[in-house]
Amino acid sequence: MASDGKGNLRELRNFVGGEFVASGSTFENVTPVDGTLISLVHEADRAIVDRAVDAARDAYYGAWGKLTTEQRCNLLYAVADGIEARFDEFVDAECADTGKPKSLASHLDIPRGAANFRIFADLIKSVGTEAYMQETPDGRGAVNYSVRQPHGVVGVISPWNLPLLLSTWKLAPAMASGNAVILKPSEETPTTATLLAEVMKSVGVPDGAFNVVHGFGPDSAGEFITTHEGIHAVTFTGETATGREIMKAASANIKALSFELGGKNPAIIFADADFDAAIDGTARSVFANTGQVCLSSERVYVERPVYERFVDTLKQRGEAMVIGRPEDSATQMGPLISREHREKVSSYYALAAELGAETVTGGGIPAFGDERDAGAYIEPTIFAGLGEDTRVQKEEIFGPVCHIAPFDDEDEAVAMANDTEYGLASVVWTTDLSRGHRVSQAMEAGINWVNCWFLRDLRTPFGGMGLSGIGREGGQHALNFYSEQKNICVKL
Ligand code: NAD
Ligand code: 6OD
């Protein structure tokens, strides 16, 4: 990734109107694996974002907008094939940008990145609308029916934790619905967005239907998108605080908004749970992707009869995690996304210690004695003994860390789990079927699992309550967001 093979550092350009566009200013893309510089990224200024909006509008009213649904879907299938044809390149790029293990990128990020295009192309072809027969005083009646219309130009602002997966989760339904899109990937993970632009171009997606602008948030490409009058809808995944800023900015021309934000997700383990399955699932939900999954469990509640055994076993799982480089097949956990993010996660480790938490395991930064010491690695960590009202229990940390606490009955577990301003996800582990349904239904969260975690059926509604977001994406819900429905009333 570091160079073009001739010793030149790789440069990532914006993709506007079907062309790769340089800008007057670049920023450095450094890998968290070992701190080396892997590329220079051309930051889009306001003029480049303006050009992207013009190109998108031209595509929407032109070549892209004139395609039939079938033609559009065939292009999206070709995009999925195109990602798969360059699978290894996508995997390597995602691993270099994020540091995640190759096993994870090749089983989750990249296959899902391709699958999103197939799934939403399939879905749009079978989508229905509403129709109502209406009675009228003259007895002749009227028929009402609704039709869908794309918004026009949609801005997609995505985070760094699952870069291709989360951007395509929005791009695919937006494009399947007929919109032209402008993607702003995270400044931390610009590479797979650029590769996706190459794929879009190579399979013949009309110029301007898909654009990529690189940059940051405030006073950069992110803000230029959210304030642009030519953009009609913005879909955003990221931090709650950023969502607040985007909401203000987008109010100028009342853009449609979809927000997938942060979480502070609970996992509840009852004494009757399949112990090994609950340990496996909880270890995954705490440590997978170095805990940088919005759906991760950061608050774990265990029924008292199995509490000590659960803590000891989860501790062993944390301590057995192999931390390393993406390409090492033994690696189970990579670094955090950056040194800056490590500062944030470490500050919560320090705060927990300051508040008198028991450190069950971890709490520090590993030393390897090799080039990884220049990376952004951190120890898998479990705390216990903190009150529910502490900042550690209230705020999203977004690292490989959880706090674990015992409970004595179902009502107490439900009350503790719901004691949060967030409401993204929950997990319940029990072999009592009725209790599984009952507790899960009592959770104030949008995505709830019983005896599993991160099992995804992409047709289901996905989104959070409270500080975790606005709206639902996934399946039909995404198609609803990415189109306007208009009613037509015909007097008979
Ligand atoms: P972030 O909010 O810092 O950045 C996300 C994107 O927003 C980036 O592309 C960034 O450049 C851009 N941005 C930042 N400020 C902006 C502004 N003022 N205007 C416009 N754009 C702006 O989030 P992150 O650190 O990249 O991602 C981690 C966060 O994302 C965590 O809070 C996590 O929970 C959340 N997340 C949520 C979901 C979900 O589905 N609910 C999924 C993944 C991540
Ligand atoms: O699987 C998905 O579709 C999805 N939206 C996952 C979100 C993960 C958050 O980090």
Side-chain angles (χ1 to χ4, degrees), residues 157-158 160 184 187 217 222 236-239 242 260-262 294 396:
I157 302 181
S158 56
W160 44 255
K184 196 206 83 63
E187 56 275 28
F236 167 72
T237 302
E239 285 190 22
T242 311
E260 295 180 353
L261 308 177
C294 58
E396 183 186 51

Side-chain angles (χ1 to χ4, degrees), residues 106-426:
S106 55
H107 285 102
L108 176 67
D109 298 68
I110 307 309
R112 261 295 302 285
N116 282 336
F117 286 103
R118 292 206 180 94
I119 279 163
F120 286 103
D122 285 346
L123 202 65
I124 197 77
K125 288 195 279 189
S126 59
V127 76
T129 53
E130 300 171 66
Y132 300 98
M133 297 303 297
Q134 183 181 359
E135 292 183 351
T136 56
D138 64 6
R140 287 164 61 188
V143 60
N144 287 269
Y145 66 97
S146 67
V147 292
R148 285 168 197 276
Q149 176 180 312
H151 290 284
V153 181
V154 173
V156 177
I157 302 181
S158 56
W160 44 255
N161 61 329
L162 300 162
L164 187 75
L165 187 159
L166 286 177
S167 57
T168 56
W169 166 245
K170 291 167 176 297
L171 294 167
M175 293 179 76
S177 300
N179 299 284
V181 294
I182 300 175
L183 167 64
K184 196 206 83 63
S186 168
E187 56 275 28
E188 307 278 5
T189 53
T191 316
T192 48
T194 310
L195 291 180
L196 183 60
E198 292 174 11
V199 169
M200 293 271 175
K201 191 171 169 76
S202 70
V203 303
V205 170
D207 294 349
F210 173 81
N211 305 275
V212 179
V213 292
H214 290 297
F216 303 82
D219 202 26
S220 184
E223 184 182 318
F224 303 150
I225 286 178
T226 57
T227 51
H228 205 294
E229 300 237 325
I231 294 179
H232 310 105
V234 168
T235 175
F236 167 72
T237 302
E239 285 190 22
T240 299
T242 311
R244 277 196 193 98
E245 292 308 309
I246 292 180
M247 207 164 188
K248 282 185 224 155
S251 67
N253 71 334
I254 316 288
K255 292 186 206 322
L257 293 176
S258 174
F259 281 176
E260 295 180 353
L261 308 177
K264 188 74 186 175
N265 309 306
I268 303 176
I269 295 95
F270 285 94
D272 66 4
D274 174 335
F275 188 87
D276 293 340
I279 282 286
D280 279 348
T282 307
R284 272 184 68 226
S285 78
V286 174
F287 303 127
N289 207 37
T290 321
Q292 301 164 120
V293 181
C294 58
L295 307 161
S296 292
S297 311
E298 290 196 1
R299 296 180 295 134
V300 177
Y301 302 105
V302 185
E303 201 170 6
R304 203 172 297 272
V306 294
Y307 177 72
E308 293 299 337
R309 184 175 161 222
F310 197 91
V311 172
D312 285 348
T313 316
L314 195 64
K315 169 182 190 291
Q316 286 164 26
R317 295 296 286 268
E319 289 171 357
M321 293 293 295
V322 179
I323 305 176
R325 298 182 63 99
E327 66 279 8
D328 184 340
S329 60
T331 296
Q332 293 169 312
M333 203 177 96
L336 291 167
I337 188 66
S338 64
R339 281 284 180 108
E340 191 188 356
H341 187 52
R342 189 171 74 177
E343 290 287 305
K344 177 186 161 188
V345 176
S346 299
S347 75
Y348 282 99
Y349 286 12
L351 178 64
E354 218 173 277
L355 293 171
E358 174 199 348
T359 304
V360 175
T361 187
I365 289 173
F368 300 99
D370 58 32
E371 77 294 336
R372 286 173 293 176
D373 290 336
Y377 299 85
I378 198 155
E379 287 177 351
T381 295
I382 303 171
F383 292 115
L386 289 179
E388 291 300 303
D389 55 353
T390 55
R391 278 183 54 212
V392 174
Q393 283 293 72
K394 293 285 175 211
E395 297 173 12
E396 183 186 51
I397 301 174
F398 220 55
V401 54
C402 70
H403 179 272
I404 191 161
F407 67 87
D408 291 303
D409 63 39
E410 188 178 308
D411 288 347
E412 187 192 6
V414 168
M416 289 198 292
N418 282 339
D419 186 12
T420 172
E421 288 186 281
Y422 289 104
L424 189 58
S426 77

